[in-house]
Amino acid sequence: MDNTTAIHKLSQRHIVTLLGVAAVALIGAAQLLRGPAPFDGPIIAERPVIFPDGAELYVQKYEVTVAEWNRCHAEGACALSLHVAGNHTEAEMPATGVSYTDVSEYLKWINRASRHSFRVPTLQEWEFMAAEVLPETPDPFFTDPELSWASAYLLEPQTKRTLLPKGAFATTKEGIADLNGSVWEWTADCYAGVSETGIDTNRCPAFFVGGEHIAAIPFLVRDPARGGCAVGAPPAHLGMRLVSERPWTTSGFDAR
Amino acid sequence: MTKIINPGLLPTSRRNVLRGSVLAGAAAMTGGATFAATRRAPLSKTHAPMAYFTQAAEQQAAAEAAPADLTGYTRVKMDLVAPPFAPVHEQVATGGPKIIEITLVTEERLMVVDEDTGAEVWALTYNGSVPGPLIICHQGDMIEITLRNPVESQLEHNIDFHASTGALGGGGLTHVYPGEETVMRWKATKAGCFTYHCAPGGAMIPYHVTHGMNGAVMVLPREGLKDAEGNSLTYDSIAYIGEQDYYLPMDENGDYLKYEVAGEDYADSLDAMRTLTPTHSVFNGAVGALTGEAALRAKVGDTVLMIHNQANRDSRPHLIGGHGNYVWETSFSTPPLKDVETWFVRGGTAMAAMYTFEQPGVYAYVNHNLIEAALLGATAHFVVEGEWDNNLMEQVVAPHSFET
């Protein structure tokens, strides 16, 4: 990827954001006139995640499903259309093969359609909510400073990489399912490399994804291929999970 | 479906073929007539395209050839092991020539090719692995193979050893149906790494080969490996890597089709094979079979002989971060190439590359068509322990922001 493309894409993102804001305003006006149309939005886990500082986070119980994703596509807001293999239904399979760019499209759509503010979690939020179901981080095989480039290599057995229907993996005490599954979830955190000040998220070449091990994935990647010089086992599948600081109800209005 | 294939020979319906093997077994027990009686023509419609060649081979073998001279040979058994490992063997031969007895069982089994996509294949295997086990002998030894096809198999199998001489590499003498076994002996006259594969006839040949039915034989010179100057070269371990191109049928959505039994994918597979575009090219049967917890292991100072088998298609291995100190692309009779960056595996060969690790860390052993390495699966990893050598490489300035 060359930088020109990235910058071009990102300015497009800004334009889409502005259009999105305008659209929300219009739809909002229309809905006020007609009364709130029920929006069959995401299912949120039974209990919010409560952070040490007392902040609450309302987390989607399962990862966004293929059915939910394709609604965004059907309404013309998500370029990518997904299908499920085999005998599974769209409603039971997580949406996978999505890049950070795709995820951004979905977020814009769901926020417009639901009149709510959803986002993907930060890496810190993700790690906190997933801690109880994740295996212990194995000690690095290579500890010499000269071998820091290889220290993330995983010689431990990996969770099965097979894509399974939602709910096939562990559920946290808050009721959040599949955080330890075969889908790695995009976070909002930019992989800033060695930069101490961080990189502007709008120009971020790679984001962290949450899963059995944390990985950084270039924003254009939909399927992290295994192989080449890449060190270790990359994520099996890329998907997403919505979070919000505010509870969500299907009325489209805040519960508070 | 009785079919006379040659006047004067037995009608070769399946039942008669089976009866023939019972009779052969009985004859074997009587002793004297064994040599002639164990030979038969297990021909049927399924390998009709090969009938001409097979008959020729059979007739050649049935002619009044002098019995093999086995004087001076010692019989030994070789216990074969699953890849990427090598059977116990000597690098330099001690004692006289050997008759090495091995057994290969033609197992048809459902194998996952890529867990991520759910791609699977009814693999046709020797001893249950892709590639089949590595066989090692010395020049002048004989391999006496028992090839057994289990009763529960769907298909006929045989074996063609590129290291052997005559009868289509033994393919003409080793056709076995489910429930049959055969014994064949061949002499290793050429030193080198050679592929072996199933070759039942016609389109069944590439079908079996692209379903995993291939492996390698290493025929070492009796005095072991040498460089161009005649200096002895030894290794601490062998990494036996079989590269397998799969052509897996997909539905209109691009999802891999699933089948109930071996052979059910035959027609779909042929259509996929005809594209000459593999859906997967993997090491040791599946994506990631030699990475992560299954990565190859070594220590700094270890000399590893990497044996690469590709029975169907060219490949070009590269060890990322290392080299091929000595590379035998063809035979061990030709002096090895030295200090090679990327070596060539002619489709239909096995070959060997030797490297001594000088630096710890992770090395990727890839098919350096990097599309095949990263997207089709042709990647293995070596995890090497030891002390870092700053003389060979050092990070002088770590990545940092620069003033614009």
Side-chain angles (χ1 to χ4, degrees), chain B residues 17-42:
Chain B
V17 167
L18 289 172
R19 192 174 65 193
S21 79
V22 172
L23 290 175
M29 288 170 70
T30 66
T34 308
F35 202 57
T38 51
R39 285 195 209 101
R40 61 197 158 67

Side-chain angles (χ1 to χ4, degrees), chain A residues 1 69 77 90 101-102 126 135 159 162 182 202 256:
Chain A
M1 178 200 70
W69 184 277
E90 291 193 353
T101 309
D102 297 326
W126 194 94
T159 292
T162 310
S182 54
N202 286 328
R256 296 176 183 178

Side-chain angles (χ1 to χ4, degrees), chain A residues 6-176:
Chain A
I7 291 162
H8 175 66
K9 263 198 165 313
L10 291 161
S11 14
Q12 268 190 338
R13 277 191 211 166
H14 286 305
I15 292 164
V16 173
T17 311
L18 292 173
L19 286 175
V21 170
V24 168
L26 284 172
I27 291 167
Q31 285 189 341
L32 277 179
L33 293 175
R34 285 188 299 147
F39 176 77
D40 186 16
I43 301 165
I44 303 298
E46 288 81 350
R47 284 171 290 284
V49 175
I50 300 169
F51 294 94
D53 66 357
E56 293 184 348
L57 192 68
Y58 296 84
V59 181
Q60 194 172 16
K61 184 170 180 63
Y62 304 104
E63 285 137 358
V64 169
T65 66
V66 173
E68 288 168 326
W69 184 277
N70 280 345
R71 207 168 140 196
C72 172
H73 174 74
E75 295 186 15
C78 289
L80 182 67
S81 161
L82 297 175
H83 81 278
V84 293
N87 300 323
H88 297 295
T89 65
E90 291 193 353
E92 68 184 357
M93 295 305 284
T96 59
V98 296
S99 68
Y100 191 87
T101 309
D102 297 326
V103 165
S104 305
E105 288 180 352
Y106 186 85
L107 284 174
K108 283 182 188 106
W109 170 77
I110 189 86
N111 285 336
R112 192 168 66 227
S114 66
R115 298 194 292 151
H116 194 80
S117 51
F118 291 109
R119 58 180 175 82
V120 292
T122 64
L123 180 62
Q124 200 184 10
E125 288 168 344
W126 194 94
E127 288 189 306
F128 183 83
M129 70 174 84
E132 73 172 270
V133 295
L134 289 188
E136 276 184 36
T137 311
D139 292 333
F141 184 74
F142 293 112
T143 48
D144 292 355
E146 293 88 355
L147 285 164
S148 61
W149 59 273
S151 64
Y153 195 81
L154 297 169
L155 285 161
E156 308 299 315
Q158 302 291 294
T159 292
K160 297 281 283 178
R161 299 172 63 91
T162 310
L163 189 61
L164 294 175
K166 67 182 184 186
F169 297 94
T171 302
T172 66
K173 61 181 187 297
E174 289 86 6
I176 309 166

